[in-house]
Amino acid sequence: IKFCHMQPSLARKFKTLALICLFTSFAGVIYQLINEERLDYNSVLVGLPLGLVFGVLELFLFPKAEMRFRRWSFTKILLFKTLLYTAVIYAVTVVLAIIGGLLEGRNMSELPEFLGSLGLLVLVVYTLVIYGLLLFLLQINQLLGDGILWKFIRGKYHQPREEERIFMFLDM
């Protein structure tokens, strides 16, 4: 069986997407443990799609629109992404609530009560904080170079080693 080899940048994006999904699933578990003091599969079923949507937007959609965002100020980009992610979080949560409610035998008449609840507001704010942390880590990783942040966190640069290198300066 022959496997198709992916481009290294695409493989790196899928690896990052998997880490984002893992992180958001873990954040969902933490949220459920704090909010409901119990643990079941629902926390992962909420965290995973939210992480998937966030990862696809950040890794695949926004880089393609980078030329358009380059002209925008940092504040304008931050405001745009905040509004977009708030809408995405709300939409994904509502879809998951509808599906979960129907599977549990609830009526659609209970949905408006859920949409206006304090619990949903807390969930959206919590998810925005998690997205902010993820976005910060992704931006720092992009700024430092791919994989450098992880090496820094693991402590690779804690004990530097001396290397001999030759540099050639060429003036043409």
Side-chain angles (χ1 to χ4, degrees):
I1 298 175
K2 280 189 168 184
F3 292 101
C4 295
H5 294 285
M6 279 191 247
Q7 295 176 355
S9 63
L10 186 61
R12 196 170 29 250
K13 284 183 180 182
F14 278 126
K15 182 179 174 185
T16 305
L17 182 63
L19 288 173
I20 288 171
C21 289
L22 183 69
F23 185 80
T24 55
S25 295
F26 180 71
V29 168
I30 297 296
Y31 176 79
Q32 188 177 27
L33 285 174
I34 291 171
N35 191 37
E36 300 175 13
E37 297 178 357
R38 66 182 177 88
L39 185 61
D40 60 12
Y41 63 90
N42 288 332
S43 57
V44 175
L45 289 179
V46 171
L48 188 68
L50 286 171
L52 190 62
V53 170
F54 174 79
V56 167
L57 285 173
E58 276 299 316
L59 299 173
F60 297 102
L61 184 67
F62 285 142
K64 291 187 184 221
E66 187 176 339
M67 291 304 289
R68 192 168 279 188
F69 290 135
R70 230 178 231 176
R71 294 182 221 133
W72 289 13
S73 67
F74 178 76
T75 309
K76 195 173 182 181
I77 291 173
L78 185 66
L79 184 64
F80 172 74
K81 283 187 175 183
T82 302
L83 291 173
L84 178 70
Y85 287 143
T86 304
V88 166
I89 292 167
Y90 199 77
V92 169
T93 305
V94 167
V95 168
L96 291 174
I98 290 171
I99 292 170
L102 291 176
L103 290 176
E104 291 176 359
R106 294 187 182 157
N107 294 328
M108 289 296 285
S109 60
E110 297 175 33
L111 184 63
E113 181 183 330
F114 173 73
L115 295 178
S117 70
L118 181 64
L120 181 62
L121 178 65
V122 170
L123 178 64
V124 169
V125 170
Y126 174 78
T127 309
L128 276 173
V129 169
I130 295 299
Y131 274 16
L133 179 64
L134 271 173
L135 191 57
F136 177 75
L137 290 173
L138 286 173
Q139 293 293 356
I140 293 295
N141 190 43
Q142 184 181 10
L143 180 69
L144 294 176
D146 195 41
I148 302 298
L149 179 62
W150 181 244
K151 289 176 185 174
F152 186 73
I153 289 171
R154 282 193 333 221
K156 179 175 180 171
Y157 303 117
H158 186 68
Q159 295 180 358
R161 8 175 244 208
E162 192 173 313
E163 295 181 356
E164 290 185 32
R165 295 190 177 212
I166 299 172
F167 292 98
M168 183 173 123
F169 295 99
L170 184 63
D171 188 13
M172 294 182 86

